[in-house]
Amino acid sequence: MSFKPWLLLPPKLAHDLSPFALNLIKHMVTSTNDDWQSFTWRNLYFRNPLGIAGGVDKNVEQVDAWHRLGCGFIEVGTITPLPQGPNPGKIMDRDILQRAVWNKMGFPNKGLEWAIQNLKKLKRPFYVPLFANIGKNRNTPLEKAAEDYKKCILALENFVDVFVINISSPNTKNLRDLLAPDSLKPFLQEVLSSRRQNTPTLLKLSPDLDDDTLQNILNVSLAANIDGWILTNTTLSRPSNISFPQEGGLSGEPLATTSKDFLKKSLRFLGEHRQDKLVISTGGIMNADDVQERIRMGADLVQVYSTLIFEGPFFFKKTLKCLKQS
Ligand SMILES: Cc1cc2nc3c(=O)[nH]c(=O)nc-3n(C[C@H](O)[C@H](O)[C@H](O)COP(=O)(O)O)c2cc1C
């Protein structure tokens, strides 16, 4: 196993230092041939199906670095209309042995204006598809949540290729209530109809849904003409050998089984209605074998966050090399 000095640092410090490390590293790598199982969806070309998940580049500050590091697509955000800080208290931790991450961040980000300024600096179209994960501000009441998502869509639609509606984070109070089918229908109708350019829009789901609710959400979102789903966000459940606090989201290896079950069930429920909808699997994808497995199970694309904390930013290059050799 190679030396990973960042694992000697406290988790939050390693997290806060990572943008500086990425800025250095990006000058040391050149984007080479990172093609593997290239794929076209709608008019978007993915040179490989591996991307960073929501939360990795919250403020659109490392897009160039992730592209050079091999990502086939890049999701920025969660972006909220107004800048906001993190939730109070401890907001992240990791368990190196279990390869697990815990976070209670609550969408800390520099807001929509900052994101737009950074997006304006990027080559357009960018080298790989750009996704924007959008959310509501902590202080926006749930009844007005759709307004926040609409503001993000209207401001960002000239700059990104795909939107991801995030109503599945466990770290913004009551946010997941919007996934309840009765709330979801009017919410999605209002948000999706605000698009002026019909930018493809995905719904990111929570893994903490029972089968009936999942089926209902898939039906409601199909009826609203959603363009696909990201399966899944972090979980509130805890395996017995994990000692993180009860609140906050768990990710990494212990989420893998749940995330795979969720993918399997969702594809079964969707059946022939899947058609050209995009299905992205995330949750506990830690290495090349995991990538292969999710693609074999039927995911179009995969995304990672936690494994980057353990493996570092060269995860994509290393994994693509393994995948090409397999
Ligand atoms: C520290 C941390 C912050 C996250 N922030 C966000 C976020 O802002 N928006 C979001 O949609 N998901 C966020 N996530 C969830 C990830 O995008 C992903 O869905 C989840 O971690 C499962 O993937 P993984 O097991 O590869 O980490 C975050 C995850 C972690 C670990």
Side-chain angles (χ1 to χ4, degrees):
M1 195 161 128
S2 54
F3 179 53
K4 292 164 182 161
W6 61 90
L7 291 180
L8 301 172
L9 300 172
K12 175 69 169 46
L13 181 62
H15 172 269
D16 293 347
L17 291 177
S18 62
F20 300 99
L22 280 172
N23 272 337
L24 284 178
I25 289 166
K26 82 172 176 207
H27 298 294
M28 291 153 52
V29 287
T30 46
S31 176
T32 47
N33 180 7
D34 295 315
D35 290 19
W36 178 76
Q37 295 209 353
S38 59
F39 162 77
T40 301
W41 180 71
R42 309 279 168 90
N43 59 345
L44 300 173
Y45 175 76
F46 298 81
R47 61 187 180 172
N48 68 61
L50 277 66
I52 51 165
V56 176
D57 188 356
K58 297 176 180 59
N59 297 306
V60 202
E61 288 167 338
Q62 305 300 338
V63 173
D64 248 331
W66 290 115
H67 154 245
R68 288 181 194 217
L69 285 161
C71 282
F73 66 108
I74 294 170
E75 182 171 321
V76 295
T78 297
I79 300 165
T80 57
L82 299 174
Q84 62 178 21
N87 281 325
K90 185 170 177 171
I91 56 165
M92 81 175 290
D93 204 355
R94 68 181 176 220
D95 180 329
I96 295 176
L97 283 179
Q98 308 285 345
R99 295 164 71 74
V101 177
W102 170 87
N103 95 86
K104 203 191 68 166
M105 294 198 164
F107 305 159
N109 78 108
K110 296 178 184 169
L112 198 45
E113 261 318 304
W114 181 273
I116 292 168
Q117 292 316 316
N118 286 343
L119 284 163
K120 278 185 178 163
K121 293 179 202 152
L122 298 176
K123 178 180 165 339
R124 198 70 203 131
F126 196 62
Y127 305 94
V128 297
L130 278 184
F131 291 35
N133 180 313
I134 54 176
K136 80 165 191 76
N137 277 112
R138 187 176 296 125
N139 293 334
T140 304
L142 214 55
E143 317 81 75
K144 298 217 167 119
E147 294 295 321
D148 277 11
Y149 292 83
K150 279 160 45 182
K151 277 183 203 159
C152 291
I153 286 179
L154 292 181
L156 294 169
E157 63 185 352
N158 285 330
F159 304 104
V160 299
D161 303 301
V162 178
F163 285 114
V164 178
I165 297 180
N166 184 358
I167 49 174
S168 52
S169 167
N171 298 320
T172 296
K173 198 162 171 247
N174 299 333
L175 184 69
R176 287 179 168 190
D177 291 357
L178 292 171
L179 282 168
D182 283 352
S183 318
L184 187 63
K185 191 176 172 185
F187 171 81
L188 278 184
Q189 275 168 353
E190 187 176 347
V191 172
L192 294 177
S193 64
S194 73
R195 293 172 299 172
R196 287 173 304 201
Q197 300 179 18
N198 223 15
T199 305
T201 303
L202 315 178
L203 182 63
K204 185 164 179 177
L205 297 186
S206 150
D208 304 326
L209 299 168
D210 62 45
D211 288 7
D212 283 350
T213 315
L214 170 60
Q215 196 158 10
N216 228 322
I217 288 172
L218 291 172
N219 286 338
V220 168
S221 47
L222 273 170
N225 210 11
I226 199 87
D227 297 288
W229 300 268
I230 299 191
L231 316 169
T232 67
N233 214 313
T234 57
T235 179
L236 281 167
S237 70
R238 300 285 183 266
S240 54
N241 57 347
I242 291 278
S243 59
F244 293 137
Q246 203 43 58
E247 53 178 4
L250 172 72
S251 56
E253 204 159 281
L255 178 57
T257 307
T258 309
S259 177
K260 282 190 281 185
D261 283 352
F262 208 85
L263 173 64
K264 215 182 294 169
K265 271 188 293 194
S266 302
L267 293 179
R268 196 178 67 235
F269 291 154
L270 286 170
E272 64 190 23
H273 300 291
R274 176 174 175 181
Q275 293 171 353
D276 74 333
K277 308 287 182 189
L278 192 69
V279 175
I280 304 184
S281 181
T282 179
I285 297 171
M286 311 305 280
N287 54 41
D289 287 346
D290 296 339
V291 174
Q292 295 264 33
E293 186 181 16
R294 303 295 169 104
I295 303 276
R296 263 200 309 268
M297 286 175 68
D300 297 308
L301 303 170
V302 299
Q303 289 181 318
V304 297
Y305 191 148
S306 298
T307 196
L308 301 174
I309 291 175
F310 302 109
E311 295 303 318
F314 292 107
F315 169 83
F316 293 100
K317 295 240 176 239
K318 269 193 302 196
T319 303
L320 288 163
K321 194 168 162 198
C322 280
L323 289 166
K324 284 185 197 179
Q325 284 164 357
S326 62

